[in-house]
Amino acid sequence: MPSNSIKRNINIYFSSVYEDPMSNLIKEFKFKSNINFAKIFAKLIYNTYKYYNIEFENAPEILYIPSTIDHLKNRGYNPVKLIAKELHKITGFEISNDLKINKKYSKSQIDAKNYFERKTQIKGKFKFVGSNKKNYILIDDVYTTGATVEEAINEIRGNVIPIILCKNVKNR
């Protein structure tokens, strides 16, 4: 069942919780190249969008959390971008590639041990090259401490609504 929370006056929506069986499906998707799960995950995000009756004055664009160069090399794809592509097929909303990783950034949030480390190492990770006159749905796969989503939102100009596939309740 979808859920939401408010952080820094921003509603953050979650499609599910990061526990079995969902956590296993995400691991299969991200680390074992089972990319067909992107369709299921996009549908879950879409269902959350509809469940909360999220509306914009104008059609939003889909923004996704970009992968680091190392992750792209290791996986060969950005899992969240695949979800964005499937969400586009469902909604017709355009995909924005305007959220970028700063070239000097190569750390992985997986390596951080706590919220403070995650918050510190994510600082300056993103660069936003889009318009401040647009509406955006920001998607990500797993929300652990919220540091990644917060940093992305800090960079994005415009009206942004984050919808996250899973909330990791064990690390909150």
Side-chain angles (χ1 to χ4, degrees):
M1 167 163 263
S3 66
N4 73 317
S5 67
I6 298 173
K7 195 162 190 178
R8 292 181 37 240
N9 293 325
I10 295 174
N11 245 327
I12 301 172
Y13 300 93
F14 305 98
S15 298
S16 61
V17 178
Y18 190 74
E19 59 187 16
D20 290 340
M22 183 58 87
S23 59
N24 288 331
L25 294 175
I26 289 174
K27 288 172 189 169
E28 288 282 323
F29 175 58
K30 290 175 72 169
F31 306 115
K32 296 188 178 175
S33 300
N34 284 326
I35 61 173
N36 289 326
F37 287 135
K39 291 177 184 178
I40 296 166
F41 297 154
K43 184 71 172 168
L44 287 170
I45 288 173
Y46 176 72
N47 287 345
T48 302
Y49 173 81
K50 295 305 276 179
Y51 181 85
Y52 283 103
N53 197 29
I54 299 169
E55 295 201 18
F56 295 92
E57 193 172 305
N58 299 313
E61 290 185 8
I62 302 166
L63 274 174
Y64 56 91
I65 298 294
S67 290
T68 63
I69 291 170
D70 288 344
H71 283 160
L72 284 173
K73 285 180 186 174
N74 290 337
R75 288 188 188 123
Y77 61 97
N78 176 341
V80 185
K81 186 174 184 178
L82 293 180
I83 296 170
K85 287 179 179 181
E86 294 300 327
L87 186 60
H88 161 73
K89 290 177 187 175
I90 295 168
T91 63
F93 300 154
E94 294 300 318
I95 297 173
S96 171
N97 296 301
D98 292 341
L99 188 61
K100 311 280 186 191
I101 299 272
N102 280 322
K103 292 192 189 313
K104 63 183 178 187
Y105 188 91
S106 63
K107 298 174 186 169
S108 173
Q109 287 294 75
I110 294 170
D111 300 329
K113 294 173 181 60
N114 56 45
Y115 175 77
F116 178 74
E117 281 187 27
R118 283 176 172 257
K119 190 77 175 154
T120 301
Q121 79 176 21
I122 198 84
K123 196 75 177 151
K125 177 178 182 175
F126 301 112
K127 174 176 58 175
F128 183 71
V129 297
S131 169
N132 64 348
K133 295 181 175 151
K134 292 185 179 179
N135 298 309
Y136 299 100
I137 294 174
L138 174 66
I139 64 170
D140 198 7
D141 53 2
V142 178
Y143 181 102
T144 301
T145 64
T148 301
V149 169
E150 282 180 43
E151 187 66 19
I153 289 170
N154 286 340
E155 288 298 312
I156 299 167
R157 296 174 306 279
N159 182 25
V160 60
I161 302 290
I163 304 177
I164 314 302
L165 182 59
C166 289
K167 182 177 186 177
N168 190 342
V169 294
K170 294 177 186 176
N171 293 332
R172 296 290 311 149

